[in-house]
């Protein structure tokens, strides 16, 4: 970092830090969904990235329809598309659970392969429907541009909006899982499935809605994703490995851990990118994570459980 | 005598299955296929090394690696580096600004051969590297994970991430590795033209013999006490531990062995195809190797070879005519194999084979049986 | 570090404590076991009985204290090292390899070829066969050697697991509820078996069935909330008012 003054370094860190916030938001939303599903049923959802892509394509679709038929609605459509992304991805998740996942509980390695198969099918579906080229929704004007905080630091508005969305979702998930009666039932099922069933909790229903919820949040991540990059059929695959690392590194059961881990991974990636090439930043980040996980396989924030 | 025989083939049916496979790849294919197609089959059979390694590691050991592409790649790249250095002799590369180094290095303004390339001037060192480097690499990963009792999904994810790291690294360091295009334009081995038909045919047979040798070695492991311990560990790891075994050492060994045979496959790939690129290292090839083993039957060494051949024949046939359908079919196969026939072709034959032969009479016996008997035999052998 | 001295006991546990997030499952436990002694530990659910076995065989790591087996400290050994030192343990639910035959179950437990390369070169020779036959007779399964273990009755599975320990000739045998799920006749046979195999080694049993305990135990220890409530001969322990209180009091 030889050639930079302290002021410049500060500005670089701040700028890359704000750029990293968008990545952080997408990773966190993806990881929340993945962690909920993994924590609840021990299923690794390899198709999680494709559910994100489902949300992104939904946003694109609504944007195109709005632009064609009700252009006056353009400034507001994005808010609705977030909800639609959640619903579309959630519904797909619900169906996937019903058709596929529920037959494979207690066979985690098999679900891993089956959901990989699902991801291939979803990718090819996107390619057949939307074409192989990447697409982007037309973003409303208020999402574009940046707010100049100092003469060296610009704060991108889309990043702030996505961050707000992420904070809102995280709080909602927290409330749902830890304060609502539904969350209580989910946690009861996670801890002792047989007992939960015996006291009258419909564990199958809980599983299905949990899976749908996880996928729905991935859909919201997809809507957020459209503000930072364009969407292609294989977009999901690019994020799935990073998301796994966020979940594993954070310790699958800890909400705080997931947030902290998404933040550190996104920021490390983003800030390193400025100094070394993007690919080497990724190598460096992932390699550091793998080495840490080799010494501390339970993740950084795993809770202690009596076994 | 009978002891050796049992160790290497399981039982009489195991021997028959092995002989049928040997006859198919050593006699039937070379007689029936032209040189181009035979070379294609040879390429598929290099993937079979990785599929066989997954039968040991995943089918018997219960440890799924989503990173066999790492080892396939290391083997392939080691061989490619040797061939590339031979192709980049100062005479051949006289027009470069730095003659004597691979062309892609020259394009990337590198003026001196990087240190880690130097051992690959020697064919002996290259052969040693193909066997030793993946083994050491697997040992490091395996020791770190298995000694800490990490396995299952977690191990699968970590191996996948490592394969991603390796791919990104290869692509990113274009000057050192040839980048996304890989290492290409490989022509001679110790002065002998490897692109000629005769060379390709010879490589095909060497490949077959190595594959059969790997199957025999794997069978030896599975019929020994080690093999029964693998199965025992998969089902009751704690009991094995409390019978006085250091479980981690067994897992590390089988992971290292699996890595080594995958690397042999990779090296043979480079020789037969004439190049190596990162697209045989990353997530997708690694997980495809798993589906080869799964389709063949995850408990069947010989089935893994048939599974590999079948999927690759299918892939070639479909991507020529209906590329779109192929991904749907492949995705469907992943789902079907875990939901409906977890023991793959070997299991299907076990369950339904006799119905088919009964219904369709001798015609079918003639065609299908030659392939499928081997699978069922293999499965039975493994259960005993 | 706990500096305990050497003793003549097979097993000497001193000041052993384990806590899970502050909850002490075993609380400064002292316990001694003689050679040739068959000792039964009883106690209500959650008393810490199974945890004690877990601590001895290394499944759970202690928070503090010492476990000496033939004067060898076990607390810092790993599971397989403890087994190789001569400690065998049967689990509460029979832990056998269901898909393998009785013969293969015993063969895997045979204490040779325990290393990676040893197991690759292991030969099933006459010595191994004789030992397997001998143990199979002891556990009354000599006629079922080629049966798949999963097909055995629940009681036979318990015996098989005991046999898998016996083939290793352990100096200390620990059995967690060996007669759970057994018929009356099987219980009698098991009692006989335990009395036979306690000769020349020490046996530590956890059991709930008082009638069975009375029949086999040389000594009894009552555990309650991680501590020893009473110890001694069965007939004395049964009369102890504290024990009656714990078992019947609430």
């Amino acid at each position: 970092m030889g050639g930079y003054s302290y002021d410049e370094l500060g500005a670089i860190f701040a700028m890359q830090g704000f750029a990293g916030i968008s990545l952080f938001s997408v990773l966190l939303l993806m990881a929340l969904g993945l962690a909920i599903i993994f924590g609840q049923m021990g299923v690794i959802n390899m198709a999680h990235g494709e559910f994100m892509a489902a949300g992104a394509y939904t946003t694109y679709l609504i944007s195109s329809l709005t632009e064609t038929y009700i252009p006056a609605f353009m400034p507001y459509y994005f808010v609705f598309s977030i909800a639609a992304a959640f619903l579309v991805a959630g519904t797909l998740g619900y169906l996937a659970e019903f058709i596929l996942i529920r037959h494979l509980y207690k066979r985690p390695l098999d679900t891993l392969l089956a959901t990989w198969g699902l991801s291939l099918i979803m990718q090819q579906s996107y390619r057949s429907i939307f074409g192989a080229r990447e697409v982007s929704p037309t973003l409303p004007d208020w999402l574009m541009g940046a707010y100049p905080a100092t003469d060296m630091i610009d704060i991108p508005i889309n990043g702030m909006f996505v961050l707000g969305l992420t904070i809102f979702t995280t709080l909602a998930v927290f409330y749902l899982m830890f304060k609502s009666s539904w969350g209580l039932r989910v946690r009861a099922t996670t801890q002792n499935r047989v007992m939960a069933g015996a006291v009258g909790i419909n564990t199958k229903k809980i599983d299905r809605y949990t899976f749908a919820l996880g996928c729905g949040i991935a859909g919201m991540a997809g809507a957020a994703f459209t503000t930072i990059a364009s969407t292609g059929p294989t977009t999901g695959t690019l994020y799935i490995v990073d998301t796994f690392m966020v979940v594993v590194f954070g310790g699958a059961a800890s909400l705080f851990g997931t947030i902290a881990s998404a933040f550190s991974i996104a920021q490390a990636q983003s800030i390193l990118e400025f100094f070394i090439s993007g690919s080497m930043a990724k190598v460096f980040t992932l390699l550091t994570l793998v080495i840490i996980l080799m010494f501390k396989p339970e993740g950084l924030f795993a809770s202690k459980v009596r076994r | 005598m009978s002891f050796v025989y049992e160790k290497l083939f399981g039982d009489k049916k195991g021997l028959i299955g092995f002989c049928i496979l040997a006859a198919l790849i050593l006699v039937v294919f070379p007689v029936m296929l032209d040189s181009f197609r035979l070379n294609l089959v040879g390429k598929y059979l290099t993937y079979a090394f990785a599929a066989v390694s997954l039968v040991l590691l995943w089918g018997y050991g219960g440890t799924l690696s989503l990173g066999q592409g790492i080892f396939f790649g290391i083997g392939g790249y080691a061989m490619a580096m040797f061939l590339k250095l031979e192709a980049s002799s100062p005479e051949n590369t006289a027009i470069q600004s730095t003659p004597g180094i691979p062309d892609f290095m020259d394009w990337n303004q590198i003026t001196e051969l990087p240190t880690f390339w130097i051992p690959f001037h020697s064919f002996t060192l290259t052969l040693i590297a193909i066997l030793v480097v993946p083994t050491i690499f697997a040992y490091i990963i395996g020791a770190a994970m298995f000694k800490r009792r990490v396995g299952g999904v977690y191990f699968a994810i970590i191996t996948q991430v490592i394969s991603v790291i390796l791919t990104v690294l290869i692509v990113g360091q274009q000057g050192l590795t040839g980048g996304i295009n890989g290492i290409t334009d490989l022509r001679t081995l110790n002065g002998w033209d490897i692109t000629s038909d005769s060379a390709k045919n010879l490589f095909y047979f060497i490949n077959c013999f190595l594959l059969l040798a790997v199957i025999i070695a794997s069978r030896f492991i599975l019929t020994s006490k080690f093999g029964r311990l693998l199965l025992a560990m998969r089902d009751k790891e704690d009991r094995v531990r409390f019978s006085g075994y250091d479980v981690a050492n067994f897992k590390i060994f089988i992971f290292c062995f699996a890595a080594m045979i995958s690397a042999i496959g990779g090296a043979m790939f480079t020789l037969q195809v004439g190049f190596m690129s990162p697209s045989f290292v990353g997530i997708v090839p690694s997980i495809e190797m798993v589906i080869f083993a799964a389709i063949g039957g995850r408990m069947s060494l010989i089935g893994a070879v048939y599974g590999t051949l079948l999927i690759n024949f299918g892939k070639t046939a479909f991507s020529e005519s209906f590329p779109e359908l192929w991904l749907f079919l492949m995705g469907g196969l992943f789902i079907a194999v875990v939901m409906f026939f977890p023991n793959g072709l070997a299991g299907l034959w076990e369950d339904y084979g006799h119905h088919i032969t009964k219904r369709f009479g001798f015609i079918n016996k003639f065609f299908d049986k030659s392939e499928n008997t081997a699978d069922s035999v293999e499965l039975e052998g493994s259960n005993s | 570090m706990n500096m305990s001295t050497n003793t003549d006991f097979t097993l000497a546990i001193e000041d052993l404590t384990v806590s899970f997030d502050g909850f002490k499952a075993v609380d400064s436990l002292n316990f001694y076991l003689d050679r040739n002694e068959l000792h039964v530990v009883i106690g209500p659910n959650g008393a810490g009985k199974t945890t004690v076995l877990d601590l001895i065989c290394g499944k759970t790591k202690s928070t503090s204290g010492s476990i000496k087996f033939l004067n060898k400290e076990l607390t810092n050994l790993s599971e397989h090292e403890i087994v190789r030192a001569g400690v065998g343990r049967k689990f509460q639910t029979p832990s056998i390899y269901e898909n393998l035959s009785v013969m293969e179950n015993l063969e895997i437990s045979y204490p040779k070829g325990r290393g990676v390369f040893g197991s690759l070169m292991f030969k099933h020779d006459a010595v191994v066969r004789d030992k397997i036959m001998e143990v199979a007779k002891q556990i009354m399964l000599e006629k079922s050697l080629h049966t798949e273990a999963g097909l055995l009755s629940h009681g036979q599975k318990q015996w098989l697991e005991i046999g898998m320990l016996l083939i290793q000739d352990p100096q200390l045998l620990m059995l967690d509820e060996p007669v759970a799920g057994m018929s009356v006749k099987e219980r009698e046979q098991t009692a006989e078996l335990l009395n036979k195999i306690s000769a020349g080694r020490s046996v530590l049993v956890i059991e709930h069935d008082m009638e069975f305990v009375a029949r086999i135990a040389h000594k009894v220890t009552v555990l309650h909330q991680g501590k020893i409530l009473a110890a001694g001969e069965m007939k004395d322990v049964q009369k102890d008012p504290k024990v009656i209180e714990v078992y019947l009091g609430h």
Side-chain angles (χ1 to χ4, degrees):
Chain A
M1 297 182 189
Y4 301 103
S5 73
Y6 282 114
D7 273 2
E8 282 167 339
L9 273 180
I12 290 166
F13 271 83
M15 289 286 287
Q16 292 301 114
F18 281 116
I21 275 177
S22 298
L23 181 62
F24 159 67
S25 303
V26 173
L27 281 185
L28 178 55
L29 286 177
M30 286 277 283
L32 275 181
L34 202 66
I36 289 172
I37 292 171
F38 181 70
Q40 163 72 6
M41 30 201 148
V43 168
I44 283 283
N45 183 15
M46 294 290 275
H48 208 67
E50 277 62 43
F51 286 99
M52 177 186 107
Y57 276 118
T58 306
T59 309
Y60 164 74
L61 208 60
I62 293 182
S63 151
S64 318
L65 291 176
T66 312
E67 210 169 12
T68 319
Y69 297 107
I70 28 174
F73 196 60
M74 276 309 278
Y76 315 107
Y77 90 91
F78 196 75
V79 181
F80 288 91
S81 70
I82 293 171
F86 177 82
L87 286 177
V88 169
T91 310
L92 287 175
Y94 184 94
L95 292 174
E97 204 282 346
F98 183 72
I99 298 169
L100 193 63
I101 311 291
R102 70 187 171 118
H103 304 290
L104 297 172
Y105 288 131
K106 299 192 178 165
R107 288 157 57 190
L109 292 180
D110 281 354
T111 34
L112 201 149
L113 295 179
T115 48
W116 177 262
L118 180 64
S119 84
L120 291 183
I121 292 175
M122 288 171 83
Q123 278 174 29
Q124 188 55 46
S125 308
Y126 298 146
R127 201 170 285 129
S128 303
I129 300 169
F130 298 99
R133 286 180 54 193
E134 299 199 336
V135 296
S136 293
T138 314
L139 291 178
D141 293 337
W142 56 268
L143 259 179
M144 312 297 270
Y147 170 76
T150 71
D151 50 356
M152 274 198 290
I153 302 171
D154 284 337
I155 303 175
I157 290 170
N158 60 7
M160 290 301 106
F161 176 78
V162 170
L163 181 65
L165 174 69
T166 306
I167 292 173
F168 169 78
T169 314
T170 310
L171 289 176
V173 166
F174 179 78
Y175 179 82
L176 198 63
M177 296 299 278
F178 294 99
K179 301 287 176 202
S180 74
S181 70
W182 187 77
L184 186 63
R185 276 178 276 159
V186 172
R187 282 178 291 139
T189 313
T190 311
Q191 296 203 341
N192 191 335
R193 184 166 291 268
V194 178
M195 195 59 209
V199 298
I201 296 172
N202 184 345
T203 56
K204 285 182 179 167
K205 196 170 148 189
I206 294 279
D207 285 341
R208 196 157 308 150
Y209 280 102
T210 310
F211 196 85
L213 175 71
C215 294
I217 297 173
M220 290 172 76
F225 175 80
T226 58
T227 66
I228 53 172
S230 51
T231 309
T234 53
T235 295
T237 333
L238 301 176
Y239 283 81
I240 189 72
V241 169
D242 299 42
T243 310
F244 281 144
M245 291 315 271
V246 169
V247 173
V248 175
F249 187 60
S254 156
L255 184 65
F256 172 74
T258 307
I259 297 171
S261 136
F263 188 79
S264 39
I265 291 176
Q267 291 303 343
Q269 169 80 22
S270 179
I271 291 172
L272 278 175
E273 253 172 31
F274 189 86
F275 297 102
I276 48 184
S277 70
S279 64
M280 286 315 284
K282 185 152 191 170
V283 167
F284 196 77
T285 316
L286 289 180
L287 199 60
T288 311
L289 287 177
V290 167
I291 290 170
I292 292 175
L293 286 172
M294 281 187 173
F295 288 101
K296 211 169 155 29
E298 67 278 16
L300 281 192
F301 304 92
S303 55
K304 279 187 191 144
V305 184
R306 179 181 176 180
R307 285 175 204 275
Chain B
M1 184 60 205
S2 74
F3 171 75
V4 175
Y5 166 80
E6 263 173 45
K7 280 269 171 191
L8 302 186
F9 300 108
D11 53 11
K12 198 174 167 191
K13 284 177 167 180
L15 179 66
I16 296 172
F18 182 82
C19 289
I20 292 174
L21 176 69
L24 183 72
I25 59 176
L26 289 176
V27 180
V28 178
F29 285 152
V31 169
M32 282 174 53
L33 302 175
D34 60 49
S35 184
F36 172 75
R37 294 274 162 190
L38 192 66
N39 182 238
L40 209 56
V41 172
K43 184 175 97 174
Y44 302 159
L45 287 176
T46 63
Y47 303 141
F49 285 84
V52 167
S53 84
L54 280 161
V55 169
L56 293 172
L57 190 61
W58 175 46
Y60 283 82
T63 307
L64 178 59
S65 159
L66 292 182
Q68 288 313 93
I70 302 169
F71 308 114
F72 188 85
I74 293 178
Y77 265 96
M79 183 58 87
M81 284 159 80
F82 169 77
L83 296 176
K84 189 67 188 174
L85 284 184
E86 188 174 314
S88 313
S89 65
E91 305 84 68
N92 288 347
T93 53
I95 51 161
Q96 286 175 187
S97 43
T98 313
I101 62 170
D103 47 10
F104 57 82
M105 291 185 186
D106 197 55
W107 301 333
N108 284 281
Q109 286 83 46
I110 286 176
T111 51
E112 200 186 347
L113 193 67
T115 322
F116 75 96
W117 273 76
I118 292 171
F120 293 95
H121 276 300
S122 151
F123 190 55
T124 319
L125 285 181
T126 303
L127 291 183
I128 294 172
I130 289 168
L131 298 178
V132 172
V133 174
T135 312
I136 293 176
F137 200 44
Y139 181 83
I140 294 170
I141 300 172
M145 310 286 286
F146 297 134
K147 288 278 181 196
R148 289 182 178 76
R149 309 227 172 130
V150 170
V153 169
Y154 197 98
F155 183 81
I157 298 295
I158 294 286
T159 47
Q160 184 173 57
V161 172
I162 294 173
S163 82
V164 171
I165 295 175
L166 198 62
T167 319
V168 177
L169 193 65
I170 292 173
V171 174
Q173 295 299 313
Q174 207 176 353
L176 303 178
T177 62
I180 187 97
N181 299 321
I183 300 183
T184 53
D185 282 334
L186 309 174
R187 293 202 187 89
T188 56
L189 174 69
N190 291 334
W192 173 50
D193 183 5
I194 60 169
T195 55
S196 68
D197 278 356
S198 62
K200 283 186 172 173
N201 281 340
L202 184 63
F203 285 137
Y204 175 84
F205 284 106
I206 293 175
N207 190 32
C208 289
F209 281 117
L210 284 173
L211 180 61
L212 295 172
V214 159
I215 291 175
I216 289 182
S218 306
R219 163 87 27 234
F220 172 78
I221 291 177
L222 293 180
T223 47
S224 71
K225 186 179 178 186
F226 188 109
R228 277 189 293 288
L229 279 167
L230 268 188
L231 277 180
M233 266 176 235
R234 194 188 65 180
D235 299 334
K236 289 258 165 41
E237 186 170 323
D238 257 353
R239 183 68 269 172
V240 178
R241 192 170 281 133
F242 288 110
S243 297
Y245 297 96
D246 190 349
V247 167
N249 285 346
F250 288 81
K251 293 189 175 177
I252 293 171
F253 176 85
I254 203 71
F255 187 49
C256 288
F257 184 74
M260 193 176 78
I261 60 182
S262 303
I264 297 175
M268 287 313 295
F269 176 91
T270 304
L271 280 177
Q272 294 184 85
V273 183
F275 77 100
M276 187 69 207
S277 90
S279 56
F280 301 99
V281 178
I283 298 183
V284 176
S286 297
I287 206 165
E288 279 184 357
M289 291 164 187
V290 176
I291 204 71
F292 300 158
I295 291 288
R298 61 184 82 168
M299 303 291 284
S300 168
L301 294 169
I302 292 178
V305 179
Y306 290 118
T308 311
L309 287 176
L310 193 72
I311 300 228
N312 282 291
F313 282 137
K315 190 175 186 171
T316 308
F318 269 89
S319 30
E320 278 166 12
S321 33
F322 317 100
E324 293 202 350
L325 272 180
W326 173 246
L327 267 187
F328 282 125
L329 195 71
M330 188 82 171
L333 273 180
F334 270 97
I335 292 171
V337 82
V338 297
M339 280 181 73
F340 305 116
F341 51 112
N343 290 321
L345 290 175
L348 273 186
W349 179 256
E350 190 83 337
D351 296 342
Y352 303 108
H354 54 280
H355 292 301
I356 299 172
T357 38
K358 230 181 262 170
R359 204 169 295 164
F360 294 96
F362 66 95
I363 302 172
N364 239 303
K365 234 179 236 171
F366 196 76
F367 273 112
D368 280 355
K369 215 183 169 188
S370 60
E371 285 198 9
N372 289 333
T373 323
D375 300 328
S376 70
V377 162
E378 186 66 23
L379 193 79
E380 272 179 33
S382 66
N383 282 343
S384 64
Chain C
M1 248 345 256
N2 194 310
M3 298 297 289
S4 54
T5 47
N6 288 353
T7 61
D8 293 334
F9 295 108
T10 298
L11 183 71
I13 297 178
E14 286 175 349
D15 221 15
L16 186 68
T17 300
V18 65
S19 67
F20 302 106
D21 282 342
F23 167 72
K24 286 186 177 171
V26 173
D27 193 357
S28 7
L29 181 80
N30 289 295
F31 180 87
Y32 301 91
L33 189 62
D34 259 326
R35 192 171 157 80
N36 292 328
E37 181 179 338
L38 197 164
H39 197 122
V40 182
V41 178
I42 59 174
N45 284 331
K49 302 179 302 267
T50 300
T51 310
V52 171
L53 294 199
D54 285 349
L55 286 164
I56 298 171
C57 72
K59 196 173 185 223
T60 306
K61 291 285 160 211
S62 61
T63 313
S64 65
S66 122
I67 303 170
K68 284 201 165 181
F69 169 70
L70 301 173
N71 293 323
K72 186 176 188 184
E73 183 61 51
L74 296 186
T75 43
N76 39 29
L77 296 186
S78 59
E79 292 97 326
H80 67 274
E81 289 169 328
I82 294 175
V83 175
R84 289 179 190 185
V87 179
R89 190 240 169 115
K90 195 194 90 60
F91 290 89
Q92 201 164 340
T93 46
S95 174
I96 53 171
Y97 314 117
E98 311 253 338
N99 301 321
L100 300 180
S101 71
V102 170
M103 163 93 91
E104 287 170 322
N105 268 276
L106 292 172
E107 190 199 339
I108 284 188
S109 313
Y110 187 81
K112 285 275 160 57
R114 273 169 164 172
V116 166
F117 296 100
S119 73
L120 284 172
M121 296 305 158
F122 179 81
K123 280 198 184 113
H124 188 101
D125 55 16
V127 181
V128 179
R129 243 190 316 273
D130 291 349
K131 182 73 188 172
I132 289 179
M133 257 334 266
E134 180 198 323
V135 170
K137 272 187 194 137
Q138 255 183 322
I139 57 171
M140 295 156 279
L141 289 175
E142 75 270 24
K143 293 204 181 73
S144 320
L145 272 178
H146 297 287
T147 312
E148 205 176 298
L151 302 174
L152 297 175
S153 78
H154 192 76
Q156 288 175 317
K157 286 181 186 169
Q158 303 269 38
W159 290 339
L160 176 56
E161 197 179 357
I162 294 175
M164 288 160 70
L165 304 180
L166 284 179
I167 205 166
Q168 309 190 329
D169 269 327
Q171 285 302 297
L172 170 61
L173 198 58
M174 304 193 292
L175 309 173
D176 200 342
E177 303 198 11
V179 294
M182 278 191 182
S183 68
V184 178
K185 188 175 172 237
E186 284 174 328
R187 275 166 204 243
E188 280 171 16
Q189 289 172 311
T190 308
E192 220 172 284
L193 173 66
L194 292 191
N195 282 326
K196 237 186 278 167
I197 62 178
S198 63
R201 58 169 67 88
S202 312
V203 182
L204 184 59
V205 180
I206 291 179
E207 195 42 74
H208 280 298
D209 182 335
M210 287 306 158
E211 205 187 315
F212 181 74
V213 174
R215 189 179 309 175
I216 60 164
H218 303 166
K219 272 189 195 162
V220 174
T221 294
V222 185
L223 219 55
H224 181 51
Q225 294 178 343
K227 291 185 167 168
I228 292 180
L229 193 68
E233 296 203 10
M234 182 67 178
K235 58 182 193 306
D236 301 328
V237 169
Q238 269 176 317
K239 286 180 209 141
D240 192 316
K242 282 182 294 182
V243 175
I244 297 171
E245 157 95 31
V246 164
Y247 267 96
L248 307 167
H250 5 215

